[in-house]
């Protein structure tokens, strides 16, 4: 029978030994693999995130709207640039063409003065008049080639955008407001006025567009 007083038996039966025996085997330290497995299990066990379809669709629609707006702005910029380039080419000679109108006016005055004096009998004078006529035609042709055209307002209704009235002439034979005389020729370049035509306007005639009344016709229907 072992001796309870022996040192060996005393050591094996200390309070710490008794406590360890009661608590069971000590827990071993957790390894990295075990921690990783625990993390994966926790993530799998967590509920799936909320459905983001609506959020993604909203983001896509916002990006599409921005793309369309940017495309529209670039298209408008391209068109505006093209229009500015075309206008620059078309109206670049406006100042130069306006200066040439004085030359055209002087040629026309010379021809009108020659016509007022009757048909010239001197061959030299006749050749001079013909030369002036050819010069005027060539000048107008060159202006037309560059987009400058002469207005022909006589007999047309007065248009304040292209005509400048300097007097009124009583003339009941034509509708009131009709151009009856051109004092100075007017010109346009493209769709812009280069110089308005100075004209005389009829006054005292019927109003423009007034329909003549036909006796015996009933217009009440």
């Amino acid at each position: 029978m072992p001796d309870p007083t022996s040192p060996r038996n005393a050591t094996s039966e200390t309070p710490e030994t008794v406590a360890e025996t009661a608590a069971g085997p000590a827990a071993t330290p957790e390894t990295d693999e075990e921690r990783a497995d625990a993390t994966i299990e926790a993530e799998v066990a967590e509920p799936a995130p909320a459905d983001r379809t609506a959020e993604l669709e909203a983001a896509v629609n916002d990006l599409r709207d921005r793309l369309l707006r940017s495309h529209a702005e670039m298209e408008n910029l391209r068109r505006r640039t093209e229009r500015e380039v075309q206008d620059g080419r078309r109206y670049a000679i406006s100042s130069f063409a306006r200066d040439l109108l004085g030359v055209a006016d002087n040629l026309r005055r010379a021809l009108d003065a020659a016509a007022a004096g009757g048909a010239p009998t001197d061959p030299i004078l006749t050749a001079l008049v013909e030369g002036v006529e050819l010069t005027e035609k060539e000048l107008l042709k060159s202006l037309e080639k560059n987009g400058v055209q002469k207005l022909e307002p006589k007999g047309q209704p007065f248009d304040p955008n292209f005509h400048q009235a300097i007097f009124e002439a009583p003339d009941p034979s034509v509708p009131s407001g009709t151009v009856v005389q051109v004092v100075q020729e007017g010109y346009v370049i493209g769709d812009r006025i280069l110089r308005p035509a100075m004209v005389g306007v009829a006054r005292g005639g019927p109003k423009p567009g007034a329909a003549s009344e036909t006796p015996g016709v009933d217009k009440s229907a």
Side-chain angles (χ1 to χ4, degrees):
M1 181 175 183
D3 187 1
T5 62
S6 63
R8 182 177 180 180
N9 292 334
T11 303
S12 61
E13 294 179 359
T14 57
E16 291 80 358
T17 305
V18 175
E20 290 177 359
T21 304
T28 59
E30 187 178 13
T31 63
D32 293 339
E33 294 181 356
E34 291 175 347
R35 285 195 296 270
D37 293 341
T39 302
I40 294 174
E41 291 177 357
E43 291 178 355
V44 173
E46 289 179 358
D51 187 9
R52 299 183 60 192
T53 303
E55 181 181 353
L56 294 175
E57 289 181 352
V60 169
N61 292 333
D62 181 63
L63 292 175
R64 183 184 295 110
D65 182 67
R66 292 183 181 181
L67 178 62
L68 294 176
R69 289 178 182 271
S70 299
H71 180 72
E73 291 177 358
M74 292 300 297
E75 186 67 17
N76 292 335
L77 178 61
R78 183 186 65 81
R79 293 178 179 176
R80 184 166 59 252
T81 303
E82 290 181 353
R83 185 169 57 250
E84 290 177 354
V85 171
Q86 293 177 358
D87 290 346
R89 292 175 179 175
R90 180 180 301 175
Y91 305 115
I93 65 168
S94 296
S95 298
F96 177 69
R98 192 176 292 109
D99 293 337
L100 288 181
L101 297 184
V103 179
D105 293 339
N106 291 331
L107 293 175
R108 175 43 48 187
R109 292 190 187 100
L111 293 174
D112 291 342
T121 57
D122 189 347
I124 298 178
L125 185 58
T126 302
L128 179 61
V129 172
E130 292 177 354
V132 173
E133 290 178 349
L134 292 176
T135 303
E136 183 192 33
K137 291 179 181 179
E138 192 66 24
L139 176 59
L140 295 178
K141 183 178 179 181
S142 299
L143 291 174
E144 290 179 0
K145 186 184 299 183
N146 289 275
V148 180
Q149 294 184 348
K150 184 171 68 173
L151 297 174
E152 300 292 344
K154 189 172 183 179
Q156 301 296 325
F158 175 77
D159 187 348
N161 296 317
F162 299 98
H163 309 150
Q164 181 177 351
I166 58 176
F167 67 90
E168 288 185 336
D171 190 350
S173 63
V174 296
S176 182
T178 302
V179 176
V180 293
Q181 184 177 350
V182 179
V183 179
Q184 187 180 59
E185 303 288 349
Y187 294 84
V188 293
I189 178 169
D191 55 355
R192 297 182 182 179
I193 185 69
L194 188 63
R195 188 182 73 181
M198 295 184 179
V199 299
V201 183
R203 176 175 54 86
K207 293 182 179 180
S212 58
E213 300 264 343
T214 303
V217 177
D218 185 7
K219 296 184 179 181
S220 60

